[in-house]
Amino acid sequence: METIAMPAINFAAIMPETILSVIAMALLLINVFVPSEQKAYLGYLSLIGIVVTFFTVIGGWGTPQEGFNGSVMQDNFALFFKGIFLVSAALSILISDQYMKREECNHGELYPLILLATCGMMLMASGTDLMTIFLGLELLSVSLYVLAGFQRDSLKSNEAGLKYFLLGAFSTGFLLYGMALIYGATGTTRIAAIASYVAQNSLAGSNLMLLIGMVLMAVGFSFKIAAAPFHMWTPDVYEGAPTPMTAFMSVGPKAAGFAAFVRVFVIALPTLRADWADLLWVLAVLTMTVGNITALYQKNIKRMLAYSSIAHAGYVLVGFVAGNAVGTAGIMFYMLSYAFMNIGAFAIIVLVGKKGEPNNNVEDYAGFGFKHPLLAVCMSIFLFSLAGIPPAAGFIGKFYLFSGAIQAGYIWLAIIGVLNSAASVYYYLRVMVFMYMKDPVEEFDWLKVSPAIALCLIIAVAGVLIPGIVPGYLLELAQKAVLL
Amino acid sequence: MVSLHSYLILSAILFSIGTIGVLTRRNAIVIFMCVELMLNAVNLTFVAFSRYLGNVDGQIFVFFVMTVAACEAAVGLALMIAFFKNKESIDVEDVNLLKW
């Protein structure tokens, strides 16, 4: 009897994705039976799922697994990014419950959507086929459109969801057109096969279709990582979305975008390096400058952090342009520390708001340092880290990104980066000036720290300070995960 | 016999029409239709290349793109309904609360 050969599936390569998506679907079913005041239990269940997944990620370290006939590859690079996604999802879930209860939109679908978005990011990080990367990106984006518009009754949230959806779908069109042209030029969608085809037929530099495909893909990815000039959606969406979801959106998808961006460009198109390095050089400078200069004028702290997240995408692009081991390790280290510092800052923003009054203006923080010294110290640590002041992790990350650029010979890029970073100190310190040097206007007596948010703050402070003071271990991990 | 070039030019024209539509139209549903036009232009490119290269990868990609476009339509129309309930309009000129 003829046997049918099984295709090479290898579930070990998608173990974390499998666990997370099974838990997400189970939670959707359980959600029906949970009364609305007890939706927090769904959050705890999803946290357990994330912890289990985290252990499989740790267990997979050092043993690369290839699956699905070469369309996913779970190597150290993917695993490091998966760790970042899980950390950002867990921290965002910890701050969600209190916020969602306060705003009376405590729907249980929140947690499965976060898990599915995380699953999409993981597929983006481990995809080695344009198709897998596209599917991961869409799983992520579709979940995020819903999360941005999650507060159905709030017009701002509706607007954020609608804007994100229209611009996200628009950018997907560009990304896909780029993928189609690259497929046309090389006849394959596997990124390793693309590289070997381009090298064998020496298409680099002569093939216009390949070049246009590369540029269109860069446009698509730049939308996702919020790089200027494709950043216009960012501040609006970040301001309108529910604050915990803004925290999630500003970290995870950005890291996922970079993971896919780096993998496609470094592995599939190394022969076009001269072309894309120039392109990204310009993007990096534009992104840093536009982000920082616009952030200087923001009064709303969520918008300020949105522009600052654009600027941070610019710093990370510096490491990408450098393209050497130091720069790439810097990208990973920086994205991890960015997860801690940014979500930590958003946790404080969640706490300062009350129902109907988000208290998002910088003036609302007047005297916060006298009323709640401990929380203000946490906020200061996060802001120092975002500004890149030692001994916070943000400093080490920036140091590696810029020294990678200098080693690769991009001295000017590093100088522009450092100047930008210096300018950014102004708007981070302004919040601290309001916290510590203005008289309190409000009593901040509505402010209650739930145990979940306290846990989130403790993890975030530890995640900012420990790698900032003893960065060796994490940097070593990041260097082992580099793709080169 | 229609050459590969004709298909590629047609899909480039469709893609451009979609892009221009997104940038100039003011009704959210029409904008979304223009996005769909862009995606279908890409599908045409994929199918044309797939046929030309004698390789099915492109056609499989098209299936995925169509599935994803259907998911996006479901989520997008739901978001538009939520917006319409609160604002009684789907004109993007009315999407104006969030500005700097």
Side-chain angles (χ1 to χ4, degrees), chain A residues 381-403:
Chain A
I381 292 173
F382 301 138
L383 291 174
F384 272 129
S385 181
L386 283 166
I389 294 168
F395 167 74
I396 310 282
K398 263 183 204 157
F399 179 77
Y400 271 82
L401 289 174
F402 294 152
S403 52

PDB file of all heavy atoms in Angstrom, chain A residues 381-403:
ATOM      1  N   ILE A 381      12.193  57.263  37.356  1.00  0.00           N
ATOM      2  CA  ILE A 381      13.125  56.239  36.853  1.00  0.00           C
ATOM      3  C   ILE A 381      12.810  55.916  35.397  1.00  0.00           C
ATOM      4  O   ILE A 381      13.700  55.859  34.545  1.00  0.00           O
ATOM      5  CB  ILE A 381      13.023  54.963  37.720  1.00  0.00           C
ATOM      6  CG1 ILE A 381      13.574  55.244  39.110  1.00  0.00           C
ATOM      7  CG2 ILE A 381      13.770  53.814  37.080  1.00  0.00           C
ATOM      8  CD1 ILE A 381      13.373  54.108  40.076  1.00  0.00           C
ATOM      9  N   PHE A 382      11.496  55.748  35.085  1.00  0.00           N
ATOM     10  CA  PHE A 382      11.130  55.423  33.704  1.00  0.00           C
ATOM     11  C   PHE A 382      11.510  56.563  32.767  1.00  0.00           C
ATOM     12  O   PHE A 382      12.018  56.333  31.669  1.00  0.00           O
ATOM     13  CB  PHE A 382       9.633  55.135  33.594  1.00  0.00           C
ATOM     14  CG  PHE A 382       9.176  54.004  34.469  1.00  0.00           C
ATOM     15  CD1 PHE A 382       7.996  54.090  35.186  1.00  0.00           C
ATOM     16  CD2 PHE A 382       9.936  52.855  34.579  1.00  0.00           C
ATOM     17  CE1 PHE A 382       7.588  53.052  35.998  1.00  0.00           C
ATOM     18  CE2 PHE A 382       9.527  51.809  35.389  1.00  0.00           C
ATOM     19  CZ  PHE A 382       8.344  51.914  36.096  1.00  0.00           C
ATOM     20  N   LEU A 383      11.254  57.801  33.203  1.00  0.00           N
ATOM     21  CA  LEU A 383      11.548  58.931  32.319  1.00  0.00           C
ATOM     22  C   LEU A 383      13.054  59.094  32.127  1.00  0.00           C
ATOM     23  O   LEU A 383      13.513  59.375  31.018  1.00  0.00           O
ATOM     24  CB  LEU A 383      10.929  60.213  32.873  1.00  0.00           C
ATOM     25  CG  LEU A 383       9.403  60.258  32.839  1.00  0.00           C
ATOM     26  CD1 LEU A 383       8.887  61.495  33.525  1.00  0.00           C
ATOM     27  CD2 LEU A 383       8.895  60.217  31.416  1.00  0.00           C
ATOM     28  N   PHE A 384      13.839  58.882  33.198  1.00  0.00           N
ATOM     29  CA  PHE A 384      15.302  58.942  33.053  1.00  0.00           C
ATOM     30  C   PHE A 384      15.778  57.889  32.062  1.00  0.00           C
ATOM     31  O   PHE A 384      16.645  58.138  31.233  1.00  0.00           O
ATOM     32  CB  PHE A 384      15.986  58.697  34.405  1.00  0.00           C
ATOM     33  CG  PHE A 384      16.189  59.952  35.211  1.00  0.00           C
ATOM     34  CD1 PHE A 384      15.790  60.023  36.534  1.00  0.00           C
ATOM     35  CD2 PHE A 384      16.797  61.052  34.637  1.00  0.00           C
ATOM     36  CE1 PHE A 384      15.976  61.175  37.268  1.00  0.00           C
ATOM     37  CE2 PHE A 384      17.001  62.207  35.372  1.00  0.00           C
ATOM     38  CZ  PHE A 384      16.578  62.268  36.690  1.00  0.00           C
ATOM     39  N   SER A 385      15.175  56.709  32.167  1.00  0.00           N
ATOM     40  CA  SER A 385      15.583  55.640  31.274  1.00  0.00           C
ATOM     41  C   SER A 385      15.216  55.975  29.830  1.00  0.00           C
ATOM     42  O   SER A 385      16.009  55.751  28.914  1.00  0.00           O
ATOM     43  CB  SER A 385      14.918  54.336  31.708  1.00  0.00           C
ATOM     44  OG  SER A 385      15.316  53.299  30.874  1.00  0.00           O
ATOM     45  N   LEU A 386      13.997  56.550  29.637  1.00  0.00           N
ATOM     46  CA  LEU A 386      13.601  56.928  28.281  1.00  0.00           C
ATOM     47  C   LEU A 386      14.540  57.991  27.730  1.00  0.00           C
ATOM     48  O   LEU A 386      14.873  58.001  26.544  1.00  0.00           O
ATOM     49  CB  LEU A 386      12.166  57.456  28.285  1.00  0.00           C
ATOM     50  CG  LEU A 386      11.056  56.413  28.389  1.00  0.00           C
ATOM     51  CD1 LEU A 386       9.739  57.061  28.715  1.00  0.00           C
ATOM     52  CD2 LEU A 386      10.943  55.629  27.109  1.00  0.00           C
ATOM     53  N   ALA A 387      14.979  58.897  28.607  1.00  0.00           N
ATOM     54  CA  ALA A 387      15.880  59.952  28.158  1.00  0.00           C
ATOM     55  C   ALA A 387      17.289  59.416  27.930  1.00  0.00           C
ATOM     56  O   ALA A 387      18.111  60.077  27.298  1.00  0.00           O
ATOM     57  CB  ALA A 387      15.899  61.084  29.175  1.00  0.00           C
ATOM     58  N   GLY A 388      17.575  58.228  28.456  1.00  0.00           N
ATOM     59  CA  GLY A 388      18.894  57.646  28.246  1.00  0.00           C
ATOM     60  C   GLY A 388      19.940  58.163  29.219  1.00  0.00           C
ATOM     61  O   GLY A 388      21.066  58.470  28.835  1.00  0.00           O
ATOM     62  N   ILE A 389      19.546  58.277  30.489  1.00  0.00           N
ATOM     63  CA  ILE A 389      20.486  58.756  31.497  1.00  0.00           C
ATOM     64  C   ILE A 389      20.918  57.563  32.337  1.00  0.00           C
ATOM     65  O   ILE A 389      20.075  56.789  32.778  1.00  0.00           O
ATOM     66  CB  ILE A 389      19.813  59.837  32.371  1.00  0.00           C
ATOM     67  CG1 ILE A 389      19.529  61.064  31.506  1.00  0.00           C
ATOM     68  CG2 ILE A 389      20.686  60.210  33.555  1.00  0.00           C
ATOM     69  CD1 ILE A 389      18.634  62.068  32.141  1.00  0.00           C
ATOM     70  N   PRO A 390      22.229  57.354  32.558  1.00  0.00           N
ATOM     71  CA  PRO A 390      22.656  56.226  33.375  1.00  0.00           C
ATOM     72  C   PRO A 390      22.178  56.424  34.811  1.00  0.00           C
ATOM     73  O   PRO A 390      22.002  57.560  35.223  1.00  0.00           O
ATOM     74  CB  PRO A 390      24.179  56.256  33.274  1.00  0.00           C
ATOM     75  CG  PRO A 390      24.508  57.633  32.836  1.00  0.00           C
ATOM     76  CD  PRO A 390      23.344  58.147  32.078  1.00  0.00           C
ATOM     77  N   PRO A 391      21.963  55.375  35.603  1.00  0.00           N
ATOM     78  CA  PRO A 391      22.271  53.972  35.346  1.00  0.00           C
ATOM     79  C   PRO A 391      21.097  53.184  34.786  1.00  0.00           C
ATOM     80  O   PRO A 391      21.041  51.989  35.014  1.00  0.00           O
ATOM     81  CB  PRO A 391      22.607  53.485  36.741  1.00  0.00           C
ATOM     82  CG  PRO A 391      21.637  54.222  37.615  1.00  0.00           C
ATOM     83  CD  PRO A 391      21.422  55.557  36.967  1.00  0.00           C
ATOM     84  N   ALA A 392      20.185  53.821  34.061  1.00  0.00           N
ATOM     85  CA  ALA A 392      19.015  53.078  33.591  1.00  0.00           C
ATOM     86  C   ALA A 392      19.344  52.288  32.329  1.00  0.00           C
ATOM     87  O   ALA A 392      20.328  52.573  31.638  1.00  0.00           O
ATOM     88  CB  ALA A 392      17.878  54.048  33.322  1.00  0.00           C
ATOM     89  N   ALA A 393      18.494  51.281  32.052  1.00  0.00           N
ATOM     90  CA  ALA A 393      18.748  50.387  30.923  1.00  0.00           C
ATOM     91  C   ALA A 393      18.723  51.137  29.592  1.00  0.00           C
ATOM     92  O   ALA A 393      19.422  50.767  28.657  1.00  0.00           O
ATOM     93  CB  ALA A 393      17.715  49.265  30.901  1.00  0.00           C
ATOM     94  N   GLY A 394      17.904  52.209  29.531  1.00  0.00           N
ATOM     95  CA  GLY A 394      17.820  52.973  28.296  1.00  0.00           C
ATOM     96  C   GLY A 394      19.167  53.520  27.864  1.00  0.00           C
ATOM     97  O   GLY A 394      19.467  53.604  26.669  1.00  0.00           O
ATOM     98  N   PHE A 395      20.004  53.869  28.833  1.00  0.00           N
ATOM     99  CA  PHE A 395      21.337  54.397  28.513  1.00  0.00           C
ATOM    100  C   PHE A 395      22.197  53.326  27.858  1.00  0.00           C
ATOM    101  O   PHE A 395      22.829  53.569  26.815  1.00  0.00           O
ATOM    102  CB  PHE A 395      22.010  54.923  29.777  1.00  0.00           C
ATOM    103  CG  PHE A 395      23.468  55.192  29.607  1.00  0.00           C
ATOM    104  CD1 PHE A 395      23.899  56.297  28.891  1.00  0.00           C
ATOM    105  CD2 PHE A 395      24.404  54.325  30.132  1.00  0.00           C
ATOM    106  CE1 PHE A 395      25.246  56.539  28.719  1.00  0.00           C
ATOM    107  CE2 PHE A 395      25.751  54.557  29.958  1.00  0.00           C
ATOM    108  CZ  PHE A 395      26.164  55.663  29.247  1.00  0.00           C
ATOM    109  N   ILE A 396      22.218  52.136  28.469  1.00  0.00           N
ATOM    110  CA  ILE A 396      23.052  51.053  27.927  1.00  0.00           C
ATOM    111  C   ILE A 396      22.604  50.719  26.502  1.00  0.00           C
ATOM    112  O   ILE A 396      23.417  50.532  25.598  1.00  0.00           O
ATOM    113  CB  ILE A 396      22.938  49.794  28.806  1.00  0.00           C
ATOM    114  CG1 ILE A 396      23.167  50.139  30.263  1.00  0.00           C
ATOM    115  CG2 ILE A 396      23.873  48.708  28.334  1.00  0.00           C
ATOM    116  CD1 ILE A 396      24.574  50.318  30.640  1.00  0.00           C
ATOM    117  N   GLY A 397      21.270  50.658  26.321  1.00  0.00           N
ATOM    118  CA  GLY A 397      20.751  50.337  24.998  1.00  0.00           C
ATOM    119  C   GLY A 397      21.205  51.341  23.969  1.00  0.00           C
ATOM    120  O   GLY A 397      21.720  50.986  22.909  1.00  0.00           O
ATOM    121  N   LYS A 398      21.026  52.636  24.291  1.00  0.00           N
ATOM    122  CA  LYS A 398      21.435  53.675  23.340  1.00  0.00           C
ATOM    123  C   LYS A 398      22.928  53.613  23.088  1.00  0.00           C
ATOM    124  O   LYS A 398      23.392  53.769  21.958  1.00  0.00           O
ATOM    125  CB  LYS A 398      21.068  55.050  23.904  1.00  0.00           C
ATOM    126  CG  LYS A 398      19.761  55.550  23.353  1.00  0.00           C
ATOM    127  CD  LYS A 398      19.467  56.929  23.867  1.00  0.00           C
ATOM    128  CE  LYS A 398      17.972  57.172  23.817  1.00  0.00           C
ATOM    129  NZ  LYS A 398      17.539  58.189  24.737  1.00  0.00           N
ATOM    130  N   PHE A 399      23.692  53.358  24.154  1.00  0.00           N
ATOM    131  CA  PHE A 399      25.142  53.284  24.031  1.00  0.00           C
ATOM    132  C   PHE A 399      25.527  52.228  22.997  1.00  0.00           C
ATOM    133  O   PHE A 399      26.355  52.472  22.114  1.00  0.00           O
ATOM    134  CB  PHE A 399      25.742  52.947  25.400  1.00  0.00           C
ATOM    135  CG  PHE A 399      27.232  52.817  25.396  1.00  0.00           C
ATOM    136  CD1 PHE A 399      28.033  53.936  25.370  1.00  0.00           C
ATOM    137  CD2 PHE A 399      27.810  51.562  25.402  1.00  0.00           C
ATOM    138  CE1 PHE A 399      29.406  53.811  25.353  1.00  0.00           C
ATOM    139  CE2 PHE A 399      29.185  51.423  25.384  1.00  0.00           C
ATOM    140  CZ  PHE A 399      29.980  52.558  25.361  1.00  0.00           C
ATOM    141  N   TYR A 400      24.883  51.054  23.079  1.00  0.00           N
ATOM    142  CA  TYR A 400      25.210  49.992  22.133  1.00  0.00           C
ATOM    143  C   TYR A 400      24.755  50.310  20.722  1.00  0.00           C
ATOM    144  O   TYR A 400      25.460  50.025  19.759  1.00  0.00           O
ATOM    145  CB  TYR A 400      24.662  48.656  22.620  1.00  0.00           C
ATOM    146  CG  TYR A 400      25.672  47.969  23.483  1.00  0.00           C
ATOM    147  CD1 TYR A 400      25.791  48.304  24.817  1.00  0.00           C
ATOM    148  CD2 TYR A 400      26.555  47.061  22.943  1.00  0.00           C
ATOM    149  CE1 TYR A 400      26.759  47.723  25.607  1.00  0.00           C
ATOM    150  CE2 TYR A 400      27.530  46.477  23.716  1.00  0.00           C
ATOM    151  CZ  TYR A 400      27.622  46.812  25.052  1.00  0.00           C
ATOM    152  OH  TYR A 400      28.593  46.253  25.812  1.00  0.00           O
ATOM    153  N   LEU A 401      23.554  50.911  20.607  1.00  0.00           N
ATOM    154  CA  LEU A 401      23.072  51.267  19.265  1.00  0.00           C
ATOM    155  C   LEU A 401      24.047  52.234  18.597  1.00  0.00           C
ATOM    156  O   LEU A 401      24.460  52.046  17.451  1.00  0.00           O
ATOM    157  CB  LEU A 401      21.694  51.916  19.358  1.00  0.00           C
ATOM    158  CG  LEU A 401      20.527  51.002  19.726  1.00  0.00           C
ATOM    159  CD1 LEU A 401      19.266  51.807  19.916  1.00  0.00           C
ATOM    160  CD2 LEU A 401      20.315  49.967  18.633  1.00  0.00           C
ATOM    161  N   PHE A 402      24.447  53.271  19.345  1.00  0.00           N
ATOM    162  CA  PHE A 402      25.294  54.301  18.735  1.00  0.00           C
ATOM    163  C   PHE A 402      26.719  53.794  18.544  1.00  0.00           C
ATOM    164  O   PHE A 402      27.371  54.127  17.546  1.00  0.00           O
ATOM    165  CB  PHE A 402      25.266  55.577  19.578  1.00  0.00           C
ATOM    166  CG  PHE A 402      23.902  56.229  19.598  1.00  0.00           C
ATOM    167  CD1 PHE A 402      23.490  56.990  20.681  1.00  0.00           C
ATOM    168  CD2 PHE A 402      23.030  56.087  18.540  1.00  0.00           C
ATOM    169  CE1 PHE A 402      22.235  57.581  20.704  1.00  0.00           C
ATOM    170  CE2 PHE A 402      21.775  56.669  18.550  1.00  0.00           C
ATOM    171  CZ  PHE A 402      21.378  57.412  19.637  1.00  0.00           C
ATOM    172  N   SER A 403      27.211  52.955  19.492  1.00  0.00           N
ATOM    173  CA  SER A 403      28.586  52.489  19.272  1.00  0.00           C
ATOM    174  C   SER A 403      28.624  51.500  18.107  1.00  0.00           C
ATOM    175  O   SER A 403      29.635  51.426  17.396  1.00  0.00           O
ATOM    176  CB  SER A 403      29.195  51.896  20.536  1.00  0.00           C
ATOM    177  OG  SER A 403      28.362  50.926  21.069  1.00  0.00           O
TER     178      SER A 403
END
